[in-house]
Amino acid sequence: VTDYAMPGMKGVEVVRRVKQIDAEVPVILISGALNADQIDEVKVAGADDVILKPFNVFELIEKGEALIRN
């Protein structure tokens, strides 16, 4: 799980690097505000799911469990 906006490195770059190391590692990117182009960008980078803030812990757990099951 990574955020989109972080100091030093955007979450989309974290997604790219994780997937370069191991493409099978599920990655969820969270953000307070993404437009359609940014969502496309993180999906192309390899993010398995995107969750927009605000969200609750149950949504995160549900998305995580779904990725693990698949």
Side-chain angles (χ1 to χ4, degrees):
V1 177
T2 187
D3 201 324
Y4 184 82
M6 299 183 299
M9 183 184 305
K10 285 186 179 179
V12 68
E13 185 59 29
V14 172
V15 172
R16 284 188 190 108
R17 290 184 184 196
V18 168
K19 293 299 187 168
Q20 284 176 349
I21 293 167
D22 187 344
E24 299 300 315
V25 173
V27 179
I28 298 173
L29 185 128
I30 60 174
S31 178
L34 291 179
N35 62 40
D37 290 338
Q38 290 167 314
I39 292 172
D40 288 344
E41 176 188 25
V42 297
K43 292 286 190 164
V44 168
D48 296 285
D49 212 334
V50 175
I51 301 175
L52 298 177
K53 298 175 189 174
F55 63 90
N56 64 51
V57 69
F58 299 108
E59 182 180 2
L60 179 59
I61 290 169
E62 182 179 289
K63 301 265 186 175
E65 286 179 340
L67 290 174
I68 292 169
R69 282 193 298 268
N70 294 330

Short mmCIF file of all heavy atoms in Angstrom, two decimals:
data_model
loop_
_atom_site.label_atom_id
_atom_site.label_comp_id
_atom_site.label_asym_id
_atom_site.label_seq_id
_atom_site.Cartn_x
_atom_site.Cartn_y
_atom_site.Cartn_z
N VAL A 1 0.86 -1.17 0.00
CA VAL A 1 0.00 0.00 0.00
C VAL A 1 0.90 1.22 0.00
O VAL A 1 1.82 1.33 0.82
CB VAL A 1 -0.94 0.02 1.23
CG1 VAL A 1 -1.76 1.29 1.25
CG2 VAL A 1 -1.82 -1.21 1.25
N THR A 2 0.63 2.12 -0.94
CA THR A 2 1.39 3.36 -1.01
C THR A 2 0.46 4.52 -1.34
O THR A 2 -0.62 4.31 -1.89
CB THR A 2 2.52 3.27 -2.07
OG1 THR A 2 3.33 4.44 -1.98
CG2 THR A 2 1.98 3.10 -3.47
N ASP A 3 0.87 5.70 -0.96
CA ASP A 3 0.11 6.90 -1.28
C ASP A 3 0.63 7.48 -2.60
O ASP A 3 1.77 7.22 -2.98
CB ASP A 3 0.26 7.92 -0.16
CG ASP A 3 -0.87 8.96 -0.15
OD1 ASP A 3 -1.33 9.35 -1.25
OD2 ASP A 3 -1.28 9.37 0.92
N TYR A 4 -0.19 8.25 -3.27
CA TYR A 4 0.22 8.86 -4.54
C TYR A 4 1.21 10.00 -4.30
O TYR A 4 2.23 10.07 -4.97
CB TYR A 4 -1.01 9.37 -5.31
CG TYR A 4 -0.66 9.93 -6.66
CD1 TYR A 4 -0.49 9.08 -7.74
CD2 TYR A 4 -0.49 11.29 -6.85
CE1 TYR A 4 -0.16 9.58 -8.99
CE2 TYR A 4 -0.16 11.80 -8.11
CZ TYR A 4 0.01 10.94 -9.16
OH TYR A 4 0.34 11.44 -10.40
N ALA A 5 0.89 10.87 -3.37
CA ALA A 5 1.72 12.06 -3.13
C ALA A 5 2.56 11.86 -1.87
O ALA A 5 2.04 11.82 -0.76
CB ALA A 5 0.83 13.29 -2.97
N MET A 6 3.85 11.71 -2.09
CA MET A 6 4.79 11.54 -0.98
C MET A 6 6.02 12.38 -1.27
O MET A 6 6.36 12.61 -2.43
CB MET A 6 5.20 10.07 -0.84
CG MET A 6 4.06 9.13 -0.56
SD MET A 6 4.60 7.44 -0.33
CE MET A 6 5.36 7.06 -1.89
N PRO A 7 6.71 12.82 -0.23
CA PRO A 7 7.95 13.57 -0.47
C PRO A 7 9.04 12.67 -1.04
O PRO A 7 9.19 11.53 -0.63
CB PRO A 7 8.33 14.09 0.92
CG PRO A 7 7.61 13.21 1.88
CD PRO A 7 6.40 12.69 1.18
N GLY A 8 9.71 13.16 -2.05
CA GLY A 8 10.85 12.42 -2.60
C GLY A 8 10.52 11.49 -3.75
O GLY A 8 11.33 11.31 -4.65
N MET A 9 9.35 10.87 -3.73
CA MET A 9 8.99 9.94 -4.80
C MET A 9 7.48 9.78 -4.84
O MET A 9 6.85 9.53 -3.83
CB MET A 9 9.63 8.57 -4.55
CG MET A 9 9.35 7.56 -5.65
SD MET A 9 9.99 5.90 -5.33
CE MET A 9 11.70 6.21 -5.03
N LYS A 10 6.90 9.93 -6.03
CA LYS A 10 5.46 9.71 -6.16
C LYS A 10 5.14 8.23 -6.02
O LYS A 10 5.95 7.36 -6.35
CB LYS A 10 4.98 10.19 -7.53
CG LYS A 10 4.88 11.68 -7.67
CD LYS A 10 4.26 12.02 -9.01
CE LYS A 10 4.12 13.50 -9.18
NZ LYS A 10 3.54 13.85 -10.49
N GLY A 11 3.94 7.98 -5.57
CA GLY A 11 3.49 6.60 -5.41
C GLY A 11 3.53 5.80 -6.70
O GLY A 11 3.79 4.60 -6.69
N VAL A 12 3.29 6.46 -7.83
CA VAL A 12 3.34 5.76 -9.10
C VAL A 12 4.74 5.21 -9.37
O VAL A 12 4.90 4.12 -9.93
CB VAL A 12 2.83 6.66 -10.26
CG1 VAL A 12 3.77 7.81 -10.54
CG2 VAL A 12 2.58 5.84 -11.51
N GLU A 13 5.77 5.91 -8.93
CA GLU A 13 7.13 5.42 -9.09
C GLU A 13 7.39 4.24 -8.14
O GLU A 13 8.08 3.29 -8.50
CB GLU A 13 8.15 6.53 -8.86
CG GLU A 13 9.58 6.11 -9.11
CD GLU A 13 9.85 5.61 -10.53
OE1 GLU A 13 9.17 6.05 -11.48
OE2 GLU A 13 10.76 4.78 -10.69
N VAL A 14 6.82 4.30 -6.94
CA VAL A 14 6.92 3.16 -6.02
C VAL A 14 6.30 1.93 -6.67
O VAL A 14 6.88 0.84 -6.63
CB VAL A 14 6.24 3.47 -4.67
CG1 VAL A 14 6.19 2.23 -3.78
CG2 VAL A 14 6.95 4.61 -3.94
N VAL A 15 5.13 2.10 -7.27
CA VAL A 15 4.45 0.99 -7.95
C VAL A 15 5.37 0.42 -9.03
O VAL A 15 5.57 -0.80 -9.10
CB VAL A 15 3.11 1.45 -8.56
CG1 VAL A 15 2.51 0.35 -9.42
CG2 VAL A 15 2.13 1.87 -7.48
N ARG A 16 5.92 1.27 -9.87
CA ARG A 16 6.81 0.79 -10.95
C ARG A 16 7.99 -0.01 -10.39
O ARG A 16 8.33 -1.07 -10.91
CB ARG A 16 7.34 1.97 -11.76
CG ARG A 16 6.36 2.56 -12.70
CD ARG A 16 7.01 3.61 -13.61
NE ARG A 16 6.00 4.33 -14.35
CZ ARG A 16 5.65 5.59 -14.13
NH1 ARG A 16 6.26 6.31 -13.21
NH2 ARG A 16 4.69 6.16 -14.84
N ARG A 17 8.61 0.52 -9.36
CA ARG A 17 9.80 -0.15 -8.81
C ARG A 17 9.45 -1.48 -8.15
O ARG A 17 10.19 -2.46 -8.31
CB ARG A 17 10.51 0.77 -7.83
CG ARG A 17 11.17 1.94 -8.53
CD ARG A 17 11.95 2.79 -7.58
NE ARG A 17 12.49 3.96 -8.25
CZ ARG A 17 13.46 4.71 -7.75
NH1 ARG A 17 13.97 4.43 -6.56
NH2 ARG A 17 13.90 5.76 -8.42
N VAL A 18 8.34 -1.51 -7.42
CA VAL A 18 7.92 -2.78 -6.80
C VAL A 18 7.66 -3.82 -7.88
O VAL A 18 8.11 -4.96 -7.79
CB VAL A 18 6.68 -2.58 -5.90
CG1 VAL A 18 6.06 -3.92 -5.50
CG2 VAL A 18 7.04 -1.77 -4.66
N LYS A 19 6.94 -3.44 -8.92
CA LYS A 19 6.60 -4.38 -9.98
C LYS A 19 7.82 -4.82 -10.78
O LYS A 19 7.85 -5.94 -11.28
CB LYS A 19 5.53 -3.77 -10.90
CG LYS A 19 4.18 -3.58 -10.22
CD LYS A 19 3.61 -4.91 -9.75
CE LYS A 19 2.20 -4.73 -9.23
NZ LYS A 19 1.53 -6.02 -9.03
N GLN A 20 8.85 -3.96 -10.87
CA GLN A 20 10.10 -4.38 -11.52
C GLN A 20 10.80 -5.46 -10.71
O GLN A 20 11.39 -6.38 -11.27
CB GLN A 20 11.03 -3.18 -11.69
CG GLN A 20 10.64 -2.25 -12.80
CD GLN A 20 11.53 -1.01 -12.88
OE1 GLN A 20 12.31 -0.73 -11.98
NE2 GLN A 20 11.40 -0.26 -13.96
N ILE A 21 10.72 -5.34 -9.40
CA ILE A 21 11.36 -6.32 -8.53
C ILE A 21 10.58 -7.63 -8.54
O ILE A 21 11.16 -8.71 -8.65
CB ILE A 21 11.49 -5.78 -7.09
CG1 ILE A 21 12.47 -4.60 -7.09
CG2 ILE A 21 11.93 -6.87 -6.12
CD1 ILE A 21 12.45 -3.79 -5.80
N ASP A 22 9.25 -7.53 -8.39
CA ASP A 22 8.42 -8.72 -8.38
C ASP A 22 7.02 -8.35 -8.86
O ASP A 22 6.23 -7.76 -8.11
CB ASP A 22 8.35 -9.32 -6.97
CG ASP A 22 7.63 -10.65 -6.92
OD1 ASP A 22 6.91 -11.01 -7.88
OD2 ASP A 22 7.76 -11.34 -5.89
N ALA A 23 6.71 -8.70 -10.08
CA ALA A 23 5.44 -8.34 -10.70
C ALA A 23 4.23 -8.96 -10.00
O ALA A 23 3.11 -8.51 -10.18
CB ALA A 23 5.44 -8.74 -12.17
N GLU A 24 4.47 -9.98 -9.19
CA GLU A 24 3.37 -10.68 -8.50
C GLU A 24 2.96 -10.02 -7.19
O GLU A 24 1.93 -10.37 -6.62
CB GLU A 24 3.76 -12.14 -8.24
CG GLU A 24 4.04 -12.92 -9.52
CD GLU A 24 2.84 -12.98 -10.44
OE1 GLU A 24 1.72 -13.23 -9.96
OE2 GLU A 24 3.02 -12.76 -11.65
N VAL A 25 3.74 -9.07 -6.70
CA VAL A 25 3.42 -8.40 -5.44
C VAL A 25 2.22 -7.48 -5.68
O VAL A 25 2.27 -6.60 -6.54
CB VAL A 25 4.61 -7.57 -4.91
CG1 VAL A 25 4.21 -6.73 -3.71
CG2 VAL A 25 5.77 -8.48 -4.57
N PRO A 26 1.11 -7.69 -4.95
CA PRO A 26 -0.04 -6.82 -5.13
C PRO A 26 0.23 -5.43 -4.55
O PRO A 26 0.79 -5.31 -3.47
CB PRO A 26 -1.16 -7.53 -4.38
CG PRO A 26 -0.51 -8.49 -3.47
CD PRO A 26 0.86 -8.77 -4.00
N VAL A 27 -0.17 -4.40 -5.30
CA VAL A 27 0.06 -3.02 -4.86
C VAL A 27 -1.26 -2.25 -4.94
O VAL A 27 -1.92 -2.26 -5.97
CB VAL A 27 1.12 -2.32 -5.73
CG1 VAL A 27 1.32 -0.89 -5.27
CG2 VAL A 27 2.44 -3.08 -5.70
N ILE A 28 -1.61 -1.61 -3.83
CA ILE A 28 -2.77 -0.73 -3.78
C ILE A 28 -2.24 0.69 -3.60
O ILE A 28 -1.43 0.94 -2.71
CB ILE A 28 -3.70 -1.09 -2.62
CG1 ILE A 28 -4.27 -2.50 -2.79
CG2 ILE A 28 -4.84 -0.06 -2.49
CD1 ILE A 28 -5.06 -3.00 -1.59
N LEU A 29 -2.71 1.59 -4.44
CA LEU A 29 -2.32 2.99 -4.33
C LEU A 29 -3.51 3.77 -3.77
O LEU A 29 -4.64 3.57 -4.21
CB LEU A 29 -1.93 3.55 -5.69
CG LEU A 29 -1.40 4.97 -5.64
CD1 LEU A 29 -0.06 5.07 -6.35
CD2 LEU A 29 -2.39 5.94 -6.21
N ILE A 30 -3.25 4.63 -2.79
CA ILE A 30 -4.30 5.46 -2.22
C ILE A 30 -4.01 6.92 -2.52
O ILE A 30 -2.87 7.31 -2.71
CB ILE A 30 -4.45 5.24 -0.70
CG1 ILE A 30 -3.17 5.59 0.05
CG2 ILE A 30 -4.88 3.82 -0.40
CD1 ILE A 30 -3.30 5.53 1.56
N SER A 31 -5.09 7.71 -2.60
CA SER A 31 -4.92 9.13 -2.87
C SER A 31 -6.16 9.90 -2.46
O SER A 31 -7.27 9.35 -2.46
CB SER A 31 -4.66 9.37 -4.35
OG SER A 31 -4.54 10.76 -4.60
N GLY A 32 -5.94 11.16 -2.16
CA GLY A 32 -7.06 12.04 -1.83
C GLY A 32 -7.75 12.58 -3.05
O GLY A 32 -8.92 12.93 -3.01
N ALA A 33 -7.04 12.67 -4.15
CA ALA A 33 -7.63 13.23 -5.37
C ALA A 33 -6.81 12.82 -6.58
O ALA A 33 -5.65 13.20 -6.70
CB ALA A 33 -7.70 14.75 -5.28
N LEU A 34 -7.40 12.03 -7.42
CA LEU A 34 -6.77 11.66 -8.69
C LEU A 34 -7.76 11.90 -9.80
O LEU A 34 -8.95 11.59 -9.66
CB LEU A 34 -6.37 10.19 -8.71
CG LEU A 34 -5.23 9.72 -7.82
CD1 LEU A 34 -5.03 8.22 -7.97
CD2 LEU A 34 -3.95 10.46 -8.13
N ASN A 35 -7.28 12.41 -10.93
CA ASN A 35 -8.16 12.52 -12.08
C ASN A 35 -8.05 11.23 -12.89
O ASN A 35 -7.23 10.35 -12.60
CB ASN A 35 -7.84 13.78 -12.91
CG ASN A 35 -6.44 13.76 -13.47
OD1 ASN A 35 -5.94 12.73 -13.93
ND2 ASN A 35 -5.78 14.91 -13.47
N ALA A 36 -8.86 11.12 -13.91
CA ALA A 36 -8.90 9.89 -14.72
C ALA A 36 -7.54 9.58 -15.35
O ALA A 36 -7.14 8.41 -15.41
CB ALA A 36 -9.98 10.01 -15.79
N ASP A 37 -6.82 10.60 -15.80
CA ASP A 37 -5.50 10.37 -16.40
C ASP A 37 -4.51 9.83 -15.38
O ASP A 37 -3.71 8.94 -15.69
CB ASP A 37 -4.94 11.66 -17.01
CG ASP A 37 -5.69 12.09 -18.26
OD1 ASP A 37 -6.34 11.24 -18.89
OD2 ASP A 37 -5.63 13.30 -18.59
N GLN A 38 -4.56 10.34 -14.16
CA GLN A 38 -3.66 9.84 -13.12
C GLN A 38 -4.00 8.41 -12.73
O GLN A 38 -3.11 7.59 -12.50
CB GLN A 38 -3.71 10.76 -11.89
CG GLN A 38 -3.10 12.12 -12.13
CD GLN A 38 -3.43 13.10 -11.03
OE1 GLN A 38 -4.58 13.21 -10.59
NE2 GLN A 38 -2.41 13.81 -10.58
N ILE A 39 -5.28 8.09 -12.66
CA ILE A 39 -5.69 6.71 -12.36
C ILE A 39 -5.19 5.79 -13.46
O ILE A 39 -4.65 4.71 -13.18
CB ILE A 39 -7.21 6.61 -12.17
CG1 ILE A 39 -7.62 7.33 -10.87
CG2 ILE A 39 -7.66 5.15 -12.14
CD1 ILE A 39 -9.11 7.46 -10.66
N ASP A 40 -5.33 6.20 -14.71
CA ASP A 40 -4.80 5.40 -15.83
C ASP A 40 -3.29 5.21 -15.69
O ASP A 40 -2.77 4.12 -15.92
CB ASP A 40 -5.12 6.06 -17.17
CG ASP A 40 -6.59 5.96 -17.54
OD1 ASP A 40 -7.32 5.15 -16.94
OD2 ASP A 40 -7.01 6.72 -18.44
N GLU A 41 -2.60 6.28 -15.32
CA GLU A 41 -1.14 6.23 -15.16
C GLU A 41 -0.73 5.19 -14.12
O GLU A 41 0.18 4.39 -14.37
CB GLU A 41 -0.61 7.61 -14.77
CG GLU A 41 0.89 7.62 -14.49
CD GLU A 41 1.38 8.94 -13.92
OE1 GLU A 41 0.59 9.68 -13.29
OE2 GLU A 41 2.59 9.20 -14.07
N VAL A 42 -1.40 5.17 -12.98
CA VAL A 42 -1.00 4.21 -11.94
C VAL A 42 -1.40 2.79 -12.31
O VAL A 42 -0.70 1.84 -11.96
CB VAL A 42 -1.52 4.60 -10.54
CG1 VAL A 42 -0.92 5.91 -10.09
CG2 VAL A 42 -3.02 4.64 -10.46
N LYS A 43 -2.50 2.64 -13.04
CA LYS A 43 -2.88 1.30 -13.50
C LYS A 43 -1.86 0.78 -14.53
O LYS A 43 -1.46 -0.38 -14.47
CB LYS A 43 -4.28 1.31 -14.10
CG LYS A 43 -5.39 1.55 -13.11
CD LYS A 43 -5.63 0.34 -12.27
CE LYS A 43 -6.89 0.51 -11.45
NZ LYS A 43 -7.37 -0.75 -10.92
N VAL A 44 -1.44 1.63 -15.45
CA VAL A 44 -0.43 1.24 -16.44
C VAL A 44 0.89 0.91 -15.74
O VAL A 44 1.59 -0.02 -16.14
CB VAL A 44 -0.24 2.35 -17.50
CG1 VAL A 44 0.99 2.10 -18.35
CG2 VAL A 44 -1.48 2.45 -18.38
N ALA A 45 1.21 1.63 -14.67
CA ALA A 45 2.43 1.38 -13.92
C ALA A 45 2.39 0.03 -13.21
O ALA A 45 3.42 -0.51 -12.85
CB ALA A 45 2.68 2.50 -12.91
N GLY A 46 1.17 -0.51 -13.02
CA GLY A 46 1.06 -1.82 -12.42
C GLY A 46 0.25 -1.89 -11.15
O GLY A 46 0.14 -2.97 -10.55
N ALA A 47 -0.32 -0.78 -10.70
CA ALA A 47 -1.13 -0.82 -9.48
C ALA A 47 -2.29 -1.79 -9.69
O ALA A 47 -2.95 -1.78 -10.72
CB ALA A 47 -1.66 0.56 -9.13
N ASP A 48 -2.52 -2.62 -8.71
CA ASP A 48 -3.60 -3.60 -8.79
C ASP A 48 -4.95 -3.00 -8.42
O ASP A 48 -5.99 -3.50 -8.84
CB ASP A 48 -3.29 -4.80 -7.89
CG ASP A 48 -2.04 -5.52 -8.36
OD1 ASP A 48 -2.13 -6.23 -9.37
OD2 ASP A 48 -0.98 -5.34 -7.75
N ASP A 49 -4.91 -1.94 -7.63
CA ASP A 49 -6.15 -1.26 -7.26
C ASP A 49 -5.82 0.15 -6.81
O ASP A 49 -4.68 0.45 -6.43
CB ASP A 49 -6.87 -2.00 -6.14
CG ASP A 49 -8.38 -1.85 -6.23
OD1 ASP A 49 -8.86 -0.85 -6.80
OD2 ASP A 49 -9.09 -2.75 -5.74
N VAL A 50 -6.82 1.02 -6.86
CA VAL A 50 -6.70 2.41 -6.41
C VAL A 50 -7.85 2.67 -5.45
O VAL A 50 -9.00 2.31 -5.75
CB VAL A 50 -6.78 3.39 -7.60
CG1 VAL A 50 -6.77 4.83 -7.11
CG2 VAL A 50 -5.65 3.14 -8.58
N ILE A 51 -7.54 3.25 -4.31
CA ILE A 51 -8.55 3.62 -3.32
C ILE A 51 -8.45 5.12 -3.09
O ILE A 51 -7.37 5.63 -2.81
CB ILE A 51 -8.36 2.87 -1.99
CG1 ILE A 51 -8.41 1.36 -2.19
CG2 ILE A 51 -9.41 3.32 -0.98
CD1 ILE A 51 -8.10 0.56 -0.93
N LEU A 52 -9.58 5.79 -3.23
CA LEU A 52 -9.60 7.22 -3.01
C LEU A 52 -9.99 7.55 -1.57
O LEU A 52 -10.86 6.89 -0.99
CB LEU A 52 -10.57 7.90 -3.99
CG LEU A 52 -10.21 7.74 -5.47
CD1 LEU A 52 -11.27 8.38 -6.34
CD2 LEU A 52 -8.84 8.34 -5.77
N LYS A 53 -9.32 8.55 -1.00
CA LYS A 53 -9.64 9.02 0.34
C LYS A 53 -10.89 9.89 0.27
O LYS A 53 -11.10 10.55 -0.74
CB LYS A 53 -8.48 9.84 0.90
CG LYS A 53 -7.19 9.09 1.05
CD LYS A 53 -6.10 10.05 1.49
CE LYS A 53 -4.73 9.42 1.45
NZ LYS A 53 -3.67 10.37 1.73
N PRO A 54 -11.69 9.95 1.28
CA PRO A 54 -11.57 9.16 2.50
C PRO A 54 -12.06 7.74 2.28
O PRO A 54 -12.97 7.50 1.49
CB PRO A 54 -12.45 9.90 3.49
CG PRO A 54 -13.50 10.54 2.65
CD PRO A 54 -12.84 10.85 1.33
N PHE A 55 -11.45 6.81 2.95
CA PHE A 55 -11.88 5.42 2.92
C PHE A 55 -11.81 4.91 4.34
O PHE A 55 -11.20 5.52 5.21
CB PHE A 55 -11.02 4.57 1.98
CG PHE A 55 -9.57 4.49 2.39
CD1 PHE A 55 -9.13 3.48 3.22
CD2 PHE A 55 -8.65 5.42 1.93
CE1 PHE A 55 -7.79 3.40 3.60
CE2 PHE A 55 -7.32 5.35 2.29
CZ PHE A 55 -6.89 4.34 3.14
N ASN A 56 -12.45 3.78 4.57
CA ASN A 56 -12.36 3.20 5.91
C ASN A 56 -11.51 1.94 5.86
O ASN A 56 -11.26 1.39 4.80
CB ASN A 56 -13.75 2.95 6.52
CG ASN A 56 -14.55 1.93 5.76
OD1 ASN A 56 -14.08 0.84 5.48
ND2 ASN A 56 -15.79 2.27 5.40
N VAL A 57 -11.10 1.50 7.01
CA VAL A 57 -10.19 0.36 7.09
C VAL A 57 -10.83 -0.90 6.51
O VAL A 57 -10.14 -1.74 5.94
CB VAL A 57 -9.71 0.14 8.55
CG1 VAL A 57 -10.83 -0.34 9.44
CG2 VAL A 57 -8.54 -0.83 8.59
N PHE A 58 -12.14 -1.01 6.59
CA PHE A 58 -12.81 -2.19 6.05
C PHE A 58 -12.70 -2.26 4.53
O PHE A 58 -12.55 -3.34 3.96
CB PHE A 58 -14.27 -2.23 6.50
CG PHE A 58 -14.40 -2.29 8.00
CD1 PHE A 58 -14.84 -1.19 8.71
CD2 PHE A 58 -14.04 -3.44 8.69
CE1 PHE A 58 -14.94 -1.24 10.10
CE2 PHE A 58 -14.13 -3.48 10.07
CZ PHE A 58 -14.58 -2.38 10.78
N GLU A 59 -12.76 -1.11 3.88
CA GLU A 59 -12.57 -1.08 2.42
C GLU A 59 -11.16 -1.52 2.05
O GLU A 59 -10.96 -2.31 1.12
CB GLU A 59 -12.83 0.33 1.88
CG GLU A 59 -12.70 0.43 0.38
CD GLU A 59 -12.96 1.82 -0.16
OE1 GLU A 59 -13.21 2.76 0.61
OE2 GLU A 59 -12.89 1.96 -1.39
N LEU A 60 -10.17 -1.04 2.80
CA LEU A 60 -8.79 -1.43 2.54
C LEU A 60 -8.61 -2.92 2.76
O LEU A 60 -7.98 -3.60 1.94
CB LEU A 60 -7.85 -0.63 3.44
CG LEU A 60 -6.36 -0.93 3.31
CD1 LEU A 60 -5.87 -0.68 1.89
CD2 LEU A 60 -5.57 -0.08 4.30
N ILE A 61 -9.16 -3.44 3.83
CA ILE A 61 -9.05 -4.88 4.11
C ILE A 61 -9.72 -5.69 2.99
O ILE A 61 -9.16 -6.68 2.51
CB ILE A 61 -9.67 -5.21 5.48
CG1 ILE A 61 -8.79 -4.65 6.59
CG2 ILE A 61 -9.86 -6.72 5.64
CD1 ILE A 61 -9.43 -4.68 7.97
N GLU A 62 -10.90 -5.26 2.58
CA GLU A 62 -11.63 -5.97 1.53
C GLU A 62 -10.83 -6.01 0.22
O GLU A 62 -10.70 -7.05 -0.42
CB GLU A 62 -12.97 -5.28 1.30
CG GLU A 62 -13.85 -5.95 0.26
CD GLU A 62 -15.17 -5.22 0.11
OE1 GLU A 62 -16.00 -5.30 1.03
OE2 GLU A 62 -15.34 -4.56 -0.94
N LYS A 63 -10.28 -4.86 -0.16
CA LYS A 63 -9.48 -4.80 -1.40
C LYS A 63 -8.23 -5.67 -1.28
O LYS A 63 -7.86 -6.38 -2.21
CB LYS A 63 -9.09 -3.36 -1.72
CG LYS A 63 -10.25 -2.43 -1.90
CD LYS A 63 -10.62 -2.31 -3.33
CE LYS A 63 -11.72 -1.24 -3.48
NZ LYS A 63 -12.04 -0.99 -4.84
N GLY A 64 -7.56 -5.59 -0.14
CA GLY A 64 -6.36 -6.40 0.09
C GLY A 64 -6.65 -7.88 0.05
O GLY A 64 -5.91 -8.66 -0.58
N GLU A 65 -7.71 -8.30 0.71
CA GLU A 65 -8.08 -9.73 0.70
C GLU A 65 -8.41 -10.20 -0.71
O GLU A 65 -8.05 -11.31 -1.08
CB GLU A 65 -9.26 -9.97 1.63
CG GLU A 65 -8.88 -9.91 3.10
CD GLU A 65 -10.06 -10.12 4.03
OE1 GLU A 65 -11.23 -9.96 3.60
OE2 GLU A 65 -9.81 -10.44 5.20
N ALA A 66 -9.10 -9.37 -1.47
CA ALA A 66 -9.45 -9.74 -2.84
C ALA A 66 -8.19 -9.95 -3.69
O ALA A 66 -8.12 -10.89 -4.48
CB ALA A 66 -10.33 -8.67 -3.49
N LEU A 67 -7.19 -9.11 -3.49
CA LEU A 67 -5.93 -9.26 -4.24
C LEU A 67 -5.19 -10.52 -3.83
O LEU A 67 -4.59 -11.20 -4.67
CB LEU A 67 -5.05 -8.04 -4.06
CG LEU A 67 -5.55 -6.76 -4.73
CD1 LEU A 67 -4.64 -5.59 -4.34
CD2 LEU A 67 -5.59 -6.93 -6.22
N ILE A 68 -5.21 -10.82 -2.57
CA ILE A 68 -4.50 -12.02 -2.08
C ILE A 68 -5.19 -13.29 -2.61
O ILE A 68 -4.52 -14.24 -2.97
CB ILE A 68 -4.43 -12.01 -0.54
CG1 ILE A 68 -3.51 -10.89 -0.09
CG2 ILE A 68 -3.97 -13.36 -0.02
CD1 ILE A 68 -3.54 -10.61 1.39
N ARG A 69 -6.52 -13.28 -2.64
CA ARG A 69 -7.25 -14.46 -3.12
C ARG A 69 -7.00 -14.73 -4.60
O ARG A 69 -7.04 -15.85 -5.06
CB ARG A 69 -8.75 -14.28 -2.89
CG ARG A 69 -9.19 -14.53 -1.47
CD ARG A 69 -10.70 -14.64 -1.38
NE ARG A 69 -11.38 -13.43 -1.78
CZ ARG A 69 -11.73 -12.45 -0.96
NH1 ARG A 69 -11.46 -12.54 0.33
NH2 ARG A 69 -12.37 -11.39 -1.40
N ASN A 70 -6.77 -13.68 -5.37
CA ASN A 70 -6.59 -13.84 -6.82
C ASN A 70 -5.19 -14.10 -7.08
O ASN A 70 -4.37 -14.41 -7.48
CB ASN A 70 -7.06 -12.60 -7.57
CG ASN A 70 -8.56 -12.41 -7.42
OD1 ASN A 70 -9.28 -13.36 -7.27
ND2 ASN A 70 -9.00 -11.18 -7.44
#
